[in-house]
């Protein structure tokens, strides 16, 4: 079974996490809908819907239409510390576990940091 076949029916939250990771890893360049669809094993329309949901939620994704269009993650490589309450950390832990802490290196290190903050 190919990578695309395994992830074709991926749950929305997992697919959106992978989409954000693809954009973050390619921050220096804009990615086309076709490129993202191929990497995620979904249709271009699914990419468009997922990006729209993420943008609506406040995720910093730049959308450019047209022949030289595409998507780009518009955030810094590092961020300032974010003070979180134990309840907020617990919510994030649950979200990372739902995505799958081994779905990416970022998910694993995020989970490790969140768990360390709780102890």
């Amino acid at each position: 079974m190919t990578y695309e076949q395994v992830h074709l029916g991926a749950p929305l939250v997992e697919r959106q996490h992978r989409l954000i990771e693809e954009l973050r890893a390619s921050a220096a360049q804009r990615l086309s809908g076709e490129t993202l669809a191929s990497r995620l094993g979904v249709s271009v329309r699914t990419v468009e819907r997922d990006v729209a949901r993420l943008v609506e939620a406040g995720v910093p994704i730049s959308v450019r239409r047209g022949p030289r269009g595409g998507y780009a993650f518009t955030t810094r490589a590092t961020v300032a510390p974010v003070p979180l309450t134990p309840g907020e950390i617990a919510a994030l832990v649950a979200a990372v576990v739902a995505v799958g802490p081994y779905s990416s290196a970022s998910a694993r290190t995020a989970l490790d940091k969140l768990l360390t903050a709780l102890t």
Side-chain angles (χ1 to χ4, degrees):
M1 189 174 283
T2 67
Y3 183 78
E4 288 78 18
Q5 289 169 324
V6 170
H7 291 282
L8 186 60
L12 176 63
V13 67
E14 182 180 333
R15 192 175 65 239
Q16 288 182 335
H17 176 244
R18 290 185 55 230
L19 176 60
I20 291 169
E21 282 296 296
E22 288 290 339
L23 291 171
R24 189 189 59 74
S26 300
Q29 64 181 352
R30 192 169 289 281
L31 296 176
S32 71
E34 292 81 9
T35 298
L36 287 167
S38 175
R39 290 181 184 179
L40 299 174
V42 297
S43 70
V44 172
R45 182 66 187 124
T46 298
V47 169
E48 291 169 351
R49 283 192 304 262
D50 287 351
V51 167
R53 281 188 198 101
L54 292 168
V55 168
E56 186 177 318
V59 177
I61 299 174
S62 166
V63 178
R64 184 183 296 167
R65 306 277 181 216
R68 293 181 182 234
Y71 305 98
F73 202 56
T74 58
T75 189
R76 300 176 299 233
T78 60
V79 295
V82 179
L84 300 169
T85 67
E88 291 166 334
I89 292 172
L92 291 172
V93 167
V96 172
V97 169
V99 168
Y102 300 105
S103 62
S104 73
S106 296
R108 182 69 232 170
T109 58
L111 181 60
D112 290 345
K113 289 176 183 179
L114 291 167
L115 292 173
T116 298
L118 279 178
T119 56

